[in-house]
Amino acid sequence: MVQHLNFTIGGLLDHIAVTYPENDGLVYPERNIRYSYRQFNDVCRQVAKGLLKLGIKKGDHVAIWADNVPEWVILQFATAKIGVVLVTVNTAYKSAELEYLLQQSDSNTLFMIRSWKDTDYVATLHEVVPELDAAQDGVVSTPKLPFLKRVVFIGKETPAGFLNFERIVELGKDVPDSELAAVEATLDVHDVINMQYTSGTTGFPKGVMLTHYNLVNNGFQIGECMKFTDKDRLCITVPFFHCFGSVLAVMASVTHGTTMVPVELFDPLKVLRTVQAERCTALHGVPTMFIAELEHPEFSTFDLSSLRTGIMAGSVCPIEVMKRVVKDMNLTEITSVYGQTESSPGITQSRTDDPVELRVATVGRALPGAEVKIVDIETGAALPPGKQGELCARGYMVMKGYYKMPEETAKVIDSDGWLHTGDLAVMDENGYCKITGRIKQMIIRGGENIYPKEIEEYLYTHPKISDVQVYGVPDRKYGEQVMAAVILKKGVEMTEDEIRDYCRGKIANYKIPKYVKFVEGYPMTASGKIQKFKLREMAIKELGLEESGDAA
């Protein structure tokens, strides 16, 4: 019998704060913040009351544009306690993307930090909302964003026009607990409480509507698959604005009384220091993060013996990288998760006690309570084990839909409630799935279907190669040709011919990359997804392939 939790997100935190009151809840070593679960819940309640005092009410949409600062995770629970939908903004967004999201999401409040990497958020908001110059105490009005009423600054030295986040904490002191309790009593676990915008690897971002029930239960099942308990401590390196951070990390932790130890901005050295200092037992990341940690010059100086489990996900997990993580980082029970924002996000996960071969070669099997099937991409008919087709999922974790986009929703959720992922997969007779690529990323060369992942996995076995991405580029004769963008390990050299020679006789000739490019890094979304379409666009330009066929 699959266990489901019937808590709202705020109700869950109340429950955990009573069950594990003195357990470390949220720890930021660099900021000297160490909240027990009881203290963390108290802070979230205080902020929830401050939001009510500010006039933010159940059903409103508020956006947060920040990296992994403490206020982010506080707002995740504070907004949920009063039924306010938290709209997560990609940290890498620039002005046009920010304007689109604020407009499309109908957000009435924006919480933001000063800057992220090379983006000055305050200057960017001024571009979008020139009326900010005349704002006082965060109250704004602009015709192009009719819903936006206020802007709140997270951090010290508040810029002109903004309300500071600490003021909301103060305002909460004026609101009685009974007022908060009255709002909480009206909430339903199936209310939409979170809106995440798909990463934008294709087309305009869409607002994925997720409920308390989606997020609490997905987080719970993810944590169960890692055997999380109140003794575990998770180092969170992935961004909160994405489901990987807010669900696979935060909700998986809170549902089990596990300690959250976030790293604000990914840095491999900080991650290694944090794991050692806080004796973390779990670590999450996308493959490129684990590669950066493993290849850091000081890697061997750190004691990572406390590590046990975690998740490698976000993009296809190279087998060779997974093996090194198990062997060199002591992550003997690491799991892989497959999913997408539209499924809260987890659909399948490997288990800690799966044989290592299964944990490195598959993305596991359906999470408890989730149904998975593989269907023929032409006919939609269910396929038997061993046959490749589109992976579809159904269950408690499927989104309510895309915000204000019913036609787009109907394209991905069919009349029987199956979510069509757009990913190609093969399932074995025991339900374990291998993701073989995106339907749209399949390369068709002279009538041959080529799946980039197959070539990538082979090239990962070369001792000089650190990372590789394979994709199709236009070709007048064959329709498409295979191209590989290769990141070499530090201090080594390699030629294009060396790569082709390594492939000859090992993989079919038509799969051998015609084009090879050595690169330092890949264009990525802030959540760690490699944007192959950008690699393709760059290659078309550099190689002068615009006239070779359809370069779209």
PDB file of all heavy atoms in Angstrom, residues 153-169:
ATOM      1  N   PHE A 153      13.007  43.858  -1.222  1.00  0.00           N
ATOM      2  CA  PHE A 153      14.436  43.600  -1.367  1.00  0.00           C
ATOM      3  C   PHE A 153      14.925  42.662  -0.269  1.00  0.00           C
ATOM      4  O   PHE A 153      14.647  42.871   0.909  1.00  0.00           O
ATOM      5  CB  PHE A 153      15.213  44.913  -1.326  1.00  0.00           C
ATOM      6  CG  PHE A 153      16.679  44.747  -1.549  1.00  0.00           C
ATOM      7  CD1 PHE A 153      17.175  44.470  -2.825  1.00  0.00           C
ATOM      8  CD2 PHE A 153      17.571  44.848  -0.490  1.00  0.00           C
ATOM      9  CE1 PHE A 153      18.535  44.308  -3.034  1.00  0.00           C
ATOM     10  CE2 PHE A 153      18.936  44.695  -0.698  1.00  0.00           C
ATOM     11  CZ  PHE A 153      19.429  44.418  -1.969  1.00  0.00           C
ATOM     12  N   ILE A 154      15.678  41.652  -0.686  1.00  0.00           N
ATOM     13  CA  ILE A 154      16.292  40.710   0.261  1.00  0.00           C
ATOM     14  C   ILE A 154      17.767  41.060   0.371  1.00  0.00           C
ATOM     15  O   ILE A 154      18.505  41.000  -0.627  1.00  0.00           O
ATOM     16  CB  ILE A 154      16.127  39.249  -0.241  1.00  0.00           C
ATOM     17  CG1 ILE A 154      14.640  38.855  -0.270  1.00  0.00           C
ATOM     18  CG2 ILE A 154      16.927  38.291   0.622  1.00  0.00           C
ATOM     19  CD1 ILE A 154      14.360  37.548  -1.009  1.00  0.00           C
ATOM     20  N   GLY A 155      18.203  41.454   1.561  1.00  0.00           N
ATOM     21  CA  GLY A 155      19.617  41.806   1.746  1.00  0.00           C
ATOM     22  C   GLY A 155      19.762  43.124   2.481  1.00  0.00           C
ATOM     23  O   GLY A 155      18.776  43.754   2.868  1.00  0.00           O
ATOM     24  N   LYS A 156      21.018  43.528   2.676  1.00  0.00           N
ATOM     25  CA  LYS A 156      21.302  44.780   3.377  1.00  0.00           C
ATOM     26  C   LYS A 156      21.368  45.937   2.366  1.00  0.00           C
ATOM     27  O   LYS A 156      21.460  45.721   1.174  1.00  0.00           O
ATOM     28  CB  LYS A 156      22.621  44.660   4.137  1.00  0.00           C
ATOM     29  CG  LYS A 156      22.558  43.634   5.279  1.00  0.00           C
ATOM     30  CD  LYS A 156      23.848  43.623   6.072  1.00  0.00           C
ATOM     31  CE  LYS A 156      23.736  42.789   7.354  1.00  0.00           C
ATOM     32  NZ  LYS A 156      23.522  41.362   7.093  1.00  0.00           N
ATOM     33  N   GLU A 157      21.346  47.171   2.899  1.00  0.00           N
ATOM     34  CA  GLU A 157      21.428  48.388   2.068  1.00  0.00           C
ATOM     35  C   GLU A 157      20.366  48.380   0.970  1.00  0.00           C
ATOM     36  O   GLU A 157      20.658  48.241  -0.218  1.00  0.00           O
ATOM     37  CB  GLU A 157      22.843  48.533   1.467  1.00  0.00           C
ATOM     38  CG  GLU A 157      23.907  48.726   2.532  1.00  0.00           C
ATOM     39  CD  GLU A 157      25.327  48.642   1.964  1.00  0.00           C
ATOM     40  OE1 GLU A 157      25.466  48.736   0.731  1.00  0.00           O
ATOM     41  OE2 GLU A 157      26.254  48.468   2.756  1.00  0.00           O
ATOM     42  N   THR A 158      19.137  48.542   1.411  1.00  0.00           N
ATOM     43  CA  THR A 158      17.985  48.494   0.503  1.00  0.00           C
ATOM     44  C   THR A 158      18.047  49.609  -0.535  1.00  0.00           C
ATOM     45  O   THR A 158      18.182  50.779  -0.183  1.00  0.00           O
ATOM     46  CB  THR A 158      16.688  48.663   1.329  1.00  0.00           C
ATOM     47  OG1 THR A 158      16.755  47.801   2.451  1.00  0.00           O
ATOM     48  CG2 THR A 158      15.463  48.337   0.494  1.00  0.00           C
ATOM     49  N   PRO A 159      17.937  49.270  -1.825  1.00  0.00           N
ATOM     50  CA  PRO A 159      17.927  50.313  -2.855  1.00  0.00           C
ATOM     51  C   PRO A 159      16.679  51.201  -2.725  1.00  0.00           C
ATOM     52  O   PRO A 159      15.660  50.775  -2.164  1.00  0.00           O
ATOM     53  CB  PRO A 159      17.873  49.518  -4.170  1.00  0.00           C
ATOM     54  CG  PRO A 159      18.228  48.107  -3.817  1.00  0.00           C
ATOM     55  CD  PRO A 159      17.830  47.918  -2.388  1.00  0.00           C
ATOM     56  N   ALA A 160      16.749  52.410  -3.248  1.00  0.00           N
ATOM     57  CA  ALA A 160      15.620  53.351  -3.188  1.00  0.00           C
ATOM     58  C   ALA A 160      14.378  52.723  -3.820  1.00  0.00           C
ATOM     59  O   ALA A 160      14.457  52.071  -4.856  1.00  0.00           O
ATOM     60  CB  ALA A 160      15.984  54.637  -3.922  1.00  0.00           C
ATOM     61  N   GLY A 161      13.253  52.950  -3.149  1.00  0.00           N
ATOM     62  CA  GLY A 161      11.976  52.492  -3.695  1.00  0.00           C
ATOM     63  C   GLY A 161      11.514  51.136  -3.191  1.00  0.00           C
ATOM     64  O   GLY A 161      10.325  50.799  -3.259  1.00  0.00           O
ATOM     65  N   PHE A 162      12.434  50.324  -2.678  1.00  0.00           N
ATOM     66  CA  PHE A 162      12.085  48.969  -2.239  1.00  0.00           C
ATOM     67  C   PHE A 162      11.660  48.911  -0.777  1.00  0.00           C
ATOM     68  O   PHE A 162      12.069  49.750   0.033  1.00  0.00           O
ATOM     69  CB  PHE A 162      13.299  48.033  -2.385  1.00  0.00           C
ATOM     70  CG  PHE A 162      13.601  47.603  -3.788  1.00  0.00           C
ATOM     71  CD1 PHE A 162      14.294  48.444  -4.658  1.00  0.00           C
ATOM     72  CD2 PHE A 162      13.223  46.354  -4.247  1.00  0.00           C
ATOM     73  CE1 PHE A 162      14.597  48.049  -5.952  1.00  0.00           C
ATOM     74  CE2 PHE A 162      13.522  45.943  -5.540  1.00  0.00           C
ATOM     75  CZ  PHE A 162      14.207  46.793  -6.392  1.00  0.00           C
ATOM     76  N   LEU A 163      10.872  47.907  -0.446  1.00  0.00           N
ATOM     77  CA  LEU A 163      10.614  47.547   0.950  1.00  0.00           C
ATOM     78  C   LEU A 163      11.605  46.443   1.299  1.00  0.00           C
ATOM     79  O   LEU A 163      11.845  45.550   0.484  1.00  0.00           O
ATOM     80  CB  LEU A 163       9.180  47.012   1.092  1.00  0.00           C
ATOM     81  CG  LEU A 163       8.740  46.575   2.497  1.00  0.00           C
ATOM     82  CD1 LEU A 163       8.527  47.804   3.387  1.00  0.00           C
ATOM     83  CD2 LEU A 163       7.455  45.755   2.423  1.00  0.00           C
ATOM     84  N   ASN A 164      12.197  46.503   2.494  1.00  0.00           N
ATOM     85  CA  ASN A 164      13.134  45.445   2.875  1.00  0.00           C
ATOM     86  C   ASN A 164      12.400  44.257   3.490  1.00  0.00           C
ATOM     87  O   ASN A 164      11.415  44.413   4.212  1.00  0.00           O
ATOM     88  CB  ASN A 164      14.189  45.965   3.848  1.00  0.00           C
ATOM     89  CG  ASN A 164      15.317  44.952   4.030  1.00  0.00           C
ATOM     90  OD1 ASN A 164      15.217  44.000   4.794  1.00  0.00           O
ATOM     91  ND2 ASN A 164      16.403  45.148   3.291  1.00  0.00           N
ATOM     92  N   PHE A 165      12.921  43.063   3.207  1.00  0.00           N
ATOM     93  CA  PHE A 165      12.321  41.822   3.717  1.00  0.00           C
ATOM     94  C   PHE A 165      12.185  41.829   5.239  1.00  0.00           C
ATOM     95  O   PHE A 165      11.202  41.324   5.788  1.00  0.00           O
ATOM     96  CB  PHE A 165      13.181  40.625   3.267  1.00  0.00           C
ATOM     97  CG  PHE A 165      12.612  39.295   3.662  1.00  0.00           C
ATOM     98  CD1 PHE A 165      11.656  38.663   2.870  1.00  0.00           C
ATOM     99  CD2 PHE A 165      13.018  38.647   4.829  1.00  0.00           C
ATOM    100  CE1 PHE A 165      11.121  37.438   3.226  1.00  0.00           C
ATOM    101  CE2 PHE A 165      12.490  37.425   5.200  1.00  0.00           C
ATOM    102  CZ  PHE A 165      11.539  36.816   4.395  1.00  0.00           C
ATOM    103  N   GLU A 166      13.168  42.417   5.925  1.00  0.00           N
ATOM    104  CA  GLU A 166      13.131  42.418   7.397  1.00  0.00           C
ATOM    105  C   GLU A 166      11.908  43.169   7.929  1.00  0.00           C
ATOM    106  O   GLU A 166      11.432  42.897   9.029  1.00  0.00           O
ATOM    107  CB  GLU A 166      14.419  43.041   7.961  1.00  0.00           C
ATOM    108  CG  GLU A 166      15.648  42.165   7.768  1.00  0.00           C
ATOM    109  CD  GLU A 166      15.481  40.753   8.335  1.00  0.00           C
ATOM    110  OE1 GLU A 166      14.967  40.622   9.464  1.00  0.00           O
ATOM    111  OE2 GLU A 166      15.843  39.785   7.637  1.00  0.00           O
ATOM    112  N   ARG A 167      11.412  44.115   7.141  1.00  0.00           N
ATOM    113  CA  ARG A 167      10.216  44.866   7.557  1.00  0.00           C
ATOM    114  C   ARG A 167       9.013  43.926   7.643  1.00  0.00           C
ATOM    115  O   ARG A 167       8.145  44.077   8.502  1.00  0.00           O
ATOM    116  CB  ARG A 167       9.957  45.987   6.529  1.00  0.00           C
ATOM    117  CG  ARG A 167       8.793  46.886   6.862  1.00  0.00           C
ATOM    118  CD  ARG A 167       9.102  47.869   7.987  1.00  0.00           C
ATOM    119  NE  ARG A 167       7.894  48.578   8.367  1.00  0.00           N
ATOM    120  CZ  ARG A 167       7.300  48.474   9.554  1.00  0.00           C
ATOM    121  NH1 ARG A 167       7.791  47.681  10.474  1.00  0.00           N
ATOM    122  NH2 ARG A 167       6.219  49.166   9.834  1.00  0.00           N
ATOM    123  N   ILE A 168       8.957  42.917   6.756  1.00  0.00           N
ATOM    124  CA  ILE A 168       7.858  41.950   6.779  1.00  0.00           C
ATOM    125  C   ILE A 168       7.922  41.112   8.050  1.00  0.00           C
ATOM    126  O   ILE A 168       6.897  40.812   8.674  1.00  0.00           O
ATOM    127  CB  ILE A 168       7.901  41.057   5.510  1.00  0.00           C
ATOM    128  CG1 ILE A 168       7.669  41.919   4.280  1.00  0.00           C
ATOM    129  CG2 ILE A 168       6.865  39.939   5.575  1.00  0.00           C
ATOM    130  CD1 ILE A 168       7.826  41.196   2.968  1.00  0.00           C
ATOM    131  N   VAL A 169       9.148  40.758   8.443  1.00  0.00           N
ATOM    132  CA  VAL A 169       9.331  40.011   9.698  1.00  0.00           C
ATOM    133  C   VAL A 169       8.783  40.832  10.861  1.00  0.00           C
ATOM    134  O   VAL A 169       8.064  40.315  11.729  1.00  0.00           O
ATOM    135  CB  VAL A 169      10.825  39.669   9.916  1.00  0.00           C
ATOM    136  CG1 VAL A 169      11.010  38.895  11.222  1.00  0.00           C
ATOM    137  CG2 VAL A 169      11.386  38.870   8.741  1.00  0.00           C
TER     138      VAL A 169
END
